[in-house]
Amino acid sequence: MATAKEAELLECRLSVEDLKKLQRLFLQTDGSSVALSMRRAEFIEQAWAAVGHGSREEYGDLFDSVDVSREGWVDWEHLASFLLLGLFEKEEHARTAAVPRWRPARTLPATHGGPVQSVAHLGTSGRYLSASKEGTLAVWSEDLTLLKTHRLANDSVMPKDLWVTGMVLLANVNKIAVSFTCKEVCFYDLLSKQEFSCQYKVHSLCNTPISLHYWHHPQRPEQAVLSIGDVAGQVSGLCFRSALISLFERPSMSVEHDSVVSISWAELQQGRHRCCYTVTHTAHGAHWVRTVRFLGPLEAFASCSSASQSSLVLAWKEVSTGPLRVTSFHTEKGLADLDYHPGLNLIATAGLNNQVCLWNPYVVSKPVGVLRGHVTSVVAVQFMLAKKQLISFSKDKVLRVWDVASQLCLQRLAGIFPKTPECKMLVFFHEERSRLLLSFNSVVLLLQAQEDTGRRVASHDSSVTCVLYNSLFRQVISSDSSSGVTCWLMDTGQKVKHFPRCHGDAEITTMALDETQTRLFTAGTDGAVKVWDFNGHCHHRLNAGRGVAVEISQILVLRRTVLVFGWERMVTVFRLNMFSKYFVEPSEWKGAVHHCNDILCAAFRPPQTLVTGGSDGEIIAWNNSTENALRKLSLGKQQHLLKFSSDSAFCKTSAVQPSTNSSAPGGEEDPESVTRLVFLEGRKGAAASGGADLVSCGGSGMVRFWNTANSCVVGEFVAHKDSGSIILTVDSRGRYLVTADMDGWLKVWDIQEYCIHPAESVTNQMPMLLSSLRAHIDCVTHLETCVHGEQLFLLSASADSSLVISYLPGPTIGIFGQEVHWRLGEVGRATLKEEREANPESSQETTAPAVVRETAPEQVHPDPDSAVAAVCSEAEENDGQADMLQLSILDDRFAVQGRSFKKGHGIWQSDIRQHLYVNGAHSTDIGTFRELRIEELDPVDELTKPDFVINPHLYFEKMWESFTPTPPPPAVTRETCLKAAFDERSLFPKDVLEQVDRPPGLRRYTQKVTVMRNDARAIHRNVGCVCVCVFFSPPIFFFTQS
């Protein structure tokens, strides 16, 4: 989608017909093939007259853009080349700015007993190889199925003392190099008969090697470089001259061919092997070399360490065997990793100061770009070369994808990785298969990127994190991971306002509106909550993180307090009486700490009930007025009342119990974690009788219905199988439950009668599924229901940068930001009977109790002639039997950038029907009166007028004769006009006026003032008082004598 700046350019607004008109201007009138050229003034006048829109200044700017050489003329060839180049750049930008769509994370089978040190792709065979600390090599197939494992052997140490520090693939010679803590590097052959037989061993290195890298020349593969970084800060390069023939010179023929050739590092430094030579430098001092790379296009060694003065070092290899020319780059706290993009000539570094820096190799003073957003140390970076994007991974297990050109965060992934303590983390991205492998100690996690199925309309330039509906302004408010807030018109989907960088470089995680809906609360990963008006002015900054960058998951704006959750076990509270200054500090929560893990979500029900859910599955009910914890909601029937004598004892007691919420395998979120909590409106009485009044969801796709009065669960079911973490929302009437998963699927459930009556055991039966559709192609991040124009709608935000509006229940209407705008006032709803009449084939499929068609909507083309149709959720009686609910699609269509296409799966469309009747009766399927049928009125014939209306003089003649007409008002003359201004004081006695004019101390009258807004009546109840009414213009004053 074109940006606002691009949309202002004339060339972005030219259609195909406009281009044809411009082409005719350069054609000869006699039909010859000789192309014409035009001067600037001639081009402006003729193009402006031919196209018919745009200004002369815009055509002048177009001429200047084409005539870059300032020759003073242009022809059709130059103009067409300029336009094609612009379209190519837009296409390239759209392709590189596409957000990766990851499939659900999958954990590979556990084969390693220690931390994984390295992962490599074997190239031609398509297999993968991983090496762990204890010396285990795991071989994986192309689809990452474990084929076999092998234990490395090294005769220098005992097997129990073997410690692998690194592994690298030598692709051009089909070998791997493995480094050990015994100061050795061994070379194993991949093609030998004996699996992983050791051919060469380089021993007696100066220090223990911990990082390896291998590079070979793409055109001359016999030239290769093996880079080695050690724990003493030394970087060594082993340069091979004839790698395809032999890496090292073998001894005399008397030595067996299959034996291991041992070479000491001193021999290599002395030049005894003519097929290779070494180069070294010690610019890092005594600090460990975390990562080392040989940059082939630059002929330089790049290495990083945790030293601030020599964080990044480039050692230029200017002469074959000469010393290296060293260049040092300085950062604040050192670096943990680096990567190089040869096409962009940029070096990306992972900083221990939570920043990712982009460096020009020839500029030492400062980085050319700083990517901020991580809140902990960045441990790994890797370029996606084809898309010109960068992957970064931080210590708190948050993965971010950056657009290098714009230096913006396109995607953020968190909560899907294993919850392990301090561990060694490794990131490996396979470019050709778009596979991302991450290791956490011995666990290897796979993230597979989905293939792009075509361009999709994006509402934001990055992932949409939250969406709200403002009924006061009738607008939709959305936020993204680039710290932007956008306002949209609900009726058409047009963008109204955009506020960029609301939290600087920090991502906006959640938002909330106050009770008046005139103030917007935004929370960022910088640990701050800001209060805005809708003119873009920030009124307050709430220091929720207390100066620390934290991730806020939810904000609750109540009448007297603002509650913030997400990063700690305690509720962070701000009292509204403290909002007199711009910077607001949090107050103390009186209820102390009762959660044993971080609070992720909360829900509030007036007047004073508050419930909070933790990442370990705990749900605690609070009294918001006293801020005391009341009870803990548990999965059993037993009620848990909290004791306030010892908060730590409560957490210890919970920790002793058998844990059911440990990290799920596969890097999935804790299966018992609570991600959303919602009170069910209108069920307060049901809770007293044993029904459900609270609903929650978590990381295992499970939805639970709770009874807060008895502190127990009354119903649960799996809404999304094998989908990881889900979110939910409930409409304001408590009838529809909407759930969403990591793959973009939305499901709507009818819960009006679900768990409303008490039961002896927990209900595991699912409620009725009304619809299931895929509104997004990536994780759904937020859901919001709203009533707009007496119609119920669903707003869904996703990590695929789209914001979708749908009927509830019903089909998708469109994506905010699409080219063709919808008109909600003209969109009607179709009934099931009309659908069957339009599509008789679908009416035959009525054998199943409930048929749910699953769709994957992209972008709707809401033309008035083909508007969105909804599905009828009413059961119609037919011959005394109720027909089963049928959900189907009237017309499978989807549109990409305003163009409609037929496809096997899409969104629902139908013709407009503003007045829908079934058998002459209007059906209302939403609301309190959904069972009523308003029948169409019968036509009324023309009424006959009575005779007294036609001939009134025959009936009312006597009344007219006795009627005395009202005389006309007297004419206004000069004599009747006022000659002076009217003085109101002349209406009152002289003694009253004297009492009023006297000083307050000398008055004998007591003044009592009463304001009467509705009428001018006042009753004084004091006996023996004299009242004088002074009739000024309202208000009315009474002076009373005591």
Side-chain angles (χ1 to χ4, degrees):
M1 188 175 68
T3 62
K5 185 176 180 181
E6 292 175 346
E8 297 175 356
L9 299 177
L10 175 65
E11 54 266 28
C12 295
R13 306 197 307 266
L14 294 177
S15 62
V16 178
E17 294 299 328
D18 297 335
L19 296 177
K20 291 181 180 179
K21 294 176 183 178
L22 291 176
Q23 185 182 18
R24 296 191 194 102
L25 298 178
F26 294 95
L27 298 179
Q28 293 282 0
T29 56
D30 55 359
S32 61
S33 60
V34 180
L36 294 177
S37 60
M38 294 184 185
R39 295 288 178 180
R40 192 177 191 275
E42 182 183 5
F43 174 79
I44 293 174
E45 292 298 328
Q46 293 194 21
W48 178 76
V51 176
H53 61 82
S55 62
R56 289 183 173 88
E57 290 77 9
E58 289 179 322
Y59 287 98
D61 295 338
L62 178 60
F63 182 92
D64 296 337
S65 300
V66 177
D67 186 23
V68 291
S69 60
R70 296 297 182 264
E71 297 178 357
W73 58 270
V74 295
D75 55 9
W76 174 247
E77 182 179 355
H78 288 79
L79 179 61
S81 299
F82 171 78
L83 296 176
L84 289 174
L85 182 61
L87 292 175
F88 174 77
E89 291 177 351
K90 289 178 60 177
E91 182 76 16
E92 182 70 14
H93 176 71
R95 185 179 63 84
T96 57
V99 180
R101 297 180 292 112
W102 307 100
R103 293 192 177 98
R106 178 166 68 96
T107 301
L108 302 186
T111 58
H112 297 286
V116 177
Q117 303 287 15
S118 183
V119 178
H121 182 251
L122 299 184
T124 55
S125 64
R127 296 181 177 182
Y128 295 86
L129 190 64
S130 60
S132 56
K133 170 185 171 182
E134 77 282 3
T136 301
L137 286 180
V139 183
W140 310 86
S141 65
E142 192 172 0
D143 59 351
L144 289 170
T145 302
L146 181 63
L147 297 178
K148 55 186 174 181
T149 59
H150 179 78
R151 186 63 181 262
L152 292 176
N154 190 340
D155 54 5
S156 301
V157 295
M158 298 292 293
K160 64 177 182 178
D161 298 328
L162 192 68
W163 189 327
V164 175
T165 59
M167 180 194 69
V168 69
L169 174 68
L170 284 61
N172 60 332
V173 294
N174 296 308
K175 292 178 175 59
I176 59 171
V178 182
S179 58
F180 299 91
T181 54
C182 55
K183 301 180 182 180
E184 294 180 352
V185 177
C186 297
F187 296 83
Y188 297 88
D189 190 8
L190 300 178
L191 301 181
S192 62
K193 296 180 180 180
Q194 184 181 0
E195 289 184 342
F196 301 104
S197 62
C198 182
Q199 286 188 338
Y200 304 100
K201 178 193 296 185
V202 179
H203 60 87
S204 303
L205 274 71
C206 301
N207 305 286
T208 301
I210 56 174
S211 60
L212 299 176
H213 180 261
Y214 183 78
W215 172 88
H216 65 89
H217 200 285
Q219 283 78 33
R220 298 187 294 274
E222 67 277 359
Q223 298 182 7
V225 177
L226 177 64
S227 306
I228 305 172
D230 58 33
V231 296
Q234 177 175 303
V235 175
S236 305
L238 189 55
C239 306
F240 300 99
R241 295 189 177 97
S242 56
L244 296 181
I245 301 175
S246 178
L247 295 178
F248 305 97
E249 292 184 2
R250 299 187 67 86
S252 60
M253 299 300 297
S254 58
V255 180
E256 295 182 3
H257 181 73
D258 295 335
S259 61
V260 179
V261 178
S262 297
I263 305 107
S264 66
W265 182 253
E267 296 178 11
L268 299 176
Q269 287 183 319
Q270 295 171 5
R272 297 184 182 180
H273 292 257
R274 291 174 296 179
C275 54
C276 62
Y277 62 94
T278 61
V279 290
T280 59
H281 76 81
T282 57
H284 291 288
H287 296 274
W288 288 21
V289 180
R290 302 291 181 177
T291 308
V292 63
R293 296 278 191 277
F294 182 78
L295 312 183
L298 302 180
E299 290 286 325
F301 294 90
S303 56
C304 64
S305 67
S306 58
S308 58
Q309 295 301 318
S310 58
S311 305
L312 174 63
V313 174
L314 284 182
W316 306 85
K317 183 173 169 290
E318 296 177 340
V319 186
S320 298
T321 57
L324 301 174
R325 181 172 61 88
V326 175
T327 303
S328 298
F329 299 77
H330 308 310
T331 61
E332 184 179 352
K333 296 182 179 180
L335 304 173
D337 193 17
L338 65 88
D339 197 14
Y340 176 69
H341 194 297
L344 301 175
N345 195 26
L346 289 176
I347 299 175
T349 57
L352 300 178
N353 59 349
N354 311 344
Q355 295 179 358
V356 177
C357 296
L358 302 175
W359 302 85
N360 186 327
Y362 302 103
V363 179
V364 185
S365 57
K366 62 179 181 180
V368 296
V370 179
L371 310 180
R372 298 180 177 90
H374 288 286
V375 297
T376 56
S377 302
V378 186
V379 297
V381 289
Q382 188 158 1
F383 278 107
M384 302 169 68
L385 301 179
K387 289 189 173 184
K388 298 179 181 177
Q389 296 175 353
L390 179 67
I391 297 174
S392 62
F393 196 74
S394 58
K395 192 175 180 180
D396 58 350
K397 301 181 182 64
V398 174
L399 186 140
R400 288 180 178 266
V401 180
W402 308 84
D403 179 24
V404 178
S406 62
Q407 299 183 10
L408 295 176
C409 179
L410 300 177
Q411 191 178 49
R412 177 182 179 274
L413 295 179
I416 63 173
F417 305 109
K419 295 181 180 180
T420 54
E422 294 290 335
C423 62
K424 176 179 176 59
M425 291 177 283
L426 178 72
V427 176
F428 173 79
F429 180 71
H430 185 206
E431 186 86 17
E432 286 129 7
R433 299 297 300 271
S434 298
R435 286 175 174 171
L436 183 64
L437 293 172
L438 303 100
S439 68
F440 305 89
N441 285 338
S442 60
V443 178
V444 181
L445 194 72
L446 168 66
L447 283 177
Q448 175 71 58
Q450 301 180 11
E451 297 181 0
D452 294 333
T453 57
R455 292 179 296 176
R456 177 181 172 87
V457 172
S459 306
H460 287 253
D461 294 333
S462 57
S463 302
V464 186
T465 57
C466 187
V467 58
L468 299 174
Y469 174 69
N470 191 318
S471 59
L472 178 65
F473 301 114
R474 298 172 65 87
Q475 294 178 1
V476 175
I477 308 163
S478 58
S479 62
D480 57 33
S481 59
S482 301
S483 197
V485 174
T486 305
C487 299
W488 311 83
L489 288 179
M490 181 76 174
D491 290 318
T492 60
Q494 291 175 287
K495 182 186 293 187
V496 180
K497 295 180 181 179
H498 179 69
F499 305 107
R501 296 177 58 82
C502 295
H503 286 257
D505 295 323
E507 173 187 347
I508 297 178
T509 56
T510 186
M511 299 188 299
L513 290 169
D514 68 342
E515 188 177 6
T516 64
Q517 299 197 7
T518 59
R519 292 292 183 266
L520 176 67
F521 291 72
T522 61
T525 54
D526 55 355
V529 176
K530 294 185 177 181
V531 185
W532 308 81
D533 60 24
F534 286 90
N535 291 322
H537 176 67
C538 182
H539 293 267
H540 304 284
R541 179 187 175 97
L542 282 58
N543 186 17
R546 296 175 175 84
V548 180
V550 297
E551 184 173 351
I552 300 171
S553 61
Q554 188 175 352
I555 305 172
L556 277 182
V557 183
L558 307 181
R559 286 191 174 183
R560 296 182 179 86
T561 57
V562 177
L563 307 181
V564 187
F565 313 91
W567 72 98
E568 60 181 359
R569 299 180 298 150
M570 182 183 293
V571 179
T572 302
V573 58
F574 295 88
R575 314 205 184 270
L576 295 185
N577 56 8
M578 304 296 294
F579 279 51
S580 58
K581 299 180 180 179
Y582 177 77
F583 292 99
V584 183
E585 295 296 329
S587 303
E588 181 183 359
W589 178 256
K590 302 175 184 178
V593 179
H594 288 279
H595 277 278
C596 294
N597 215 324
D598 297 340
I599 302 176
L600 298 183
C601 59
F604 178 77
R605 182 176 62 193
Q608 57 190 12
T609 305
L610 173 71
V611 292
T612 55
S615 59
D616 54 356
E618 287 183 339
I619 299 178
I620 296 178
W622 307 75
N623 185 318
N624 187 61
S625 299
T626 62
E627 298 181 359
N628 289 328
L630 301 178
R631 64 186 67 89
K632 174 184 175 182
L633 277 64
S634 62
L635 295 177
K637 287 288 184 180
Q638 184 180 1
Q639 182 175 352
H640 295 265
L641 297 178
L642 301 186
K643 298 180 180 180
F644 308 104
S645 59
S646 176
D647 298 330
S648 60
F650 169 73
C651 291
K652 291 179 181 178
T653 304
S654 301
V656 171
Q657 298 175 356
S659 177
T660 60
N661 53 16
S662 59
S663 298
E668 297 180 356
E669 193 166 329
D670 192 335
E672 296 299 331
S673 65
V674 182
T675 58
R676 291 292 189 275
L677 283 169
V678 180
F679 274 108
L680 299 176
E681 297 295 333
R683 288 202 181 188
K684 191 172 183 180
S689 62
D693 64 337
L694 178 71
V695 60
S696 69
C697 67
S700 59
M702 181 75 71
V703 176
R704 289 190 172 95
F705 287 75
W706 300 85
N707 181 287
T708 56
N710 299 325
S711 304
C712 63
V713 61
V714 296
E716 62 181 10
F717 66 95
V718 178
H720 299 261
K721 294 182 180 180
D722 303 327
S723 61
S725 177
I726 66 171
I727 60 175
L728 63 78
T729 188
V730 180
D731 71 303
S732 57
R733 297 186 181 96
R735 176 178 181 181
Y736 299 111
L737 168 69
V738 185
T739 58
D741 61 15
M742 304 282 292
D743 295 330
W745 285 93
L746 301 178
K747 292 185 179 182
V748 181
W749 313 81
D750 187 355
I751 60 169
Q752 189 174 16
E753 302 295 332
Y754 187 75
C755 290
I756 199 170
H757 302 292
E760 296 181 357
S761 61
V762 178
T763 302
N764 295 322
Q765 183 180 1
M766 291 185 179
M768 178 181 291
L769 178 62
L770 299 181
S771 65
S772 176
L773 61 114
R774 192 179 187 188
H776 301 275
I777 58 177
D778 205 343
C779 171
V780 180
T781 56
H782 199 268
L783 296 172
E784 178 85 358
T785 62
C786 62
V787 177
H788 179 83
E790 300 182 358
Q791 177 68 51
L792 194 57
F793 294 96
L794 173 66
L795 304 171
S796 57
S798 172
D800 62 1
S801 306
S802 67
L803 179 63
V804 174
I805 177 174
S806 309
Y807 282 110
L808 184 62
T812 299
I813 298 174
I815 302 176
F816 285 90
Q818 65 185 30
E819 294 181 3
V820 181
H821 302 141
W822 58 78
R823 290 178 289 276
L824 293 183
E826 299 180 4
V827 176
R829 297 178 61 85
T831 61
L832 179 61
K833 182 174 181 180
E834 292 172 335
E835 177 198 348
R836 292 176 177 176
E837 293 176 355
N839 189 7
E841 296 179 357
S842 63
S843 62
Q844 299 175 1
E845 302 174 2
T846 57
T847 56
V851 179
V852 179
R853 296 285 297 273
E854 298 179 343
T855 62
E858 297 291 334
Q859 175 192 359
V860 72
H861 187 68
D863 190 59
D865 296 332
S866 60
V868 178
V871 217
C872 179
S873 61
E874 300 296 328
E876 299 179 350
E877 294 186 359
N878 184 13
D879 298 332
Q881 295 181 353
D883 294 338
M884 292 299 179
L885 177 67
Q886 305 289 329
L887 298 180
S888 59
I889 306 169
L890 301 183
D891 190 9
D892 293 341
R893 291 176 179 267
F894 75 98
V896 179
Q897 293 190 348
R899 301 177 183 179
S900 298
F901 297 91
K902 280 278 189 179
K903 196 148 185 175
H905 54 277
I907 57 178
W908 303 330
Q909 293 182 335
S910 178
D911 298 333
I912 290 182
R913 293 173 175 84
Q914 298 180 354
H915 306 284
L916 304 177
Y917 293 89
V918 180
N919 297 328
H922 178 67
S923 175
T924 59
D925 60 347
I926 293 179
T928 308
F929 307 100
R930 61 187 180 276
E931 300 297 337
L932 295 181
R933 303 247 176 212
I934 304 175
E935 296 185 357
E936 192 174 8
L937 296 177
D938 297 333
V940 180
D941 298 335
E942 185 177 358
L943 297 176
T944 303
K945 296 181 180 180
D947 186 60
F948 69 86
V949 176
I950 301 175
N951 302 311
H953 62 280
L954 299 177
Y955 298 89
F956 308 105
E957 183 176 0
K958 294 181 179 181
M959 296 177 60
W960 287 353
E961 290 176 356
S962 62
F963 176 72
T964 303
T966 304
V972 180
T973 61
R974 292 191 177 184
E975 288 75 9
T976 60
C977 296
L978 294 177
K979 297 181 179 180
F982 176 72
D983 187 9
E984 294 177 343
R985 297 173 60 89
S986 63
L987 295 175
F988 307 100
K990 184 177 179 180
D991 54 348
V992 174
L993 297 176
E994 290 178 355
Q995 295 295 334
V996 174
D997 295 337
R998 287 184 181 183
L1002 301 178
R1003 291 182 183 178
R1004 291 182 301 169
Y1005 298 95
T1006 302
Q1007 182 179 3
K1008 295 185 178 181
V1009 180
T1010 307
V1011 180
M1012 307 297 297
R1013 296 187 179 272
N1014 298 329
D1015 50 43
R1017 296 182 296 118
I1019 300 176
H1020 201 287
R1021 299 184 182 274
N1022 295 334
V1023 180
C1025 296
V1026 179
C1027 298
V1028 179
C1029 298
V1030 184
F1031 291 92
F1032 292 110
S1033 58
I1036 303 171
F1037 301 89
F1038 291 86
F1039 299 90
T1040 306
Q1041 181 179 0
S1042 60

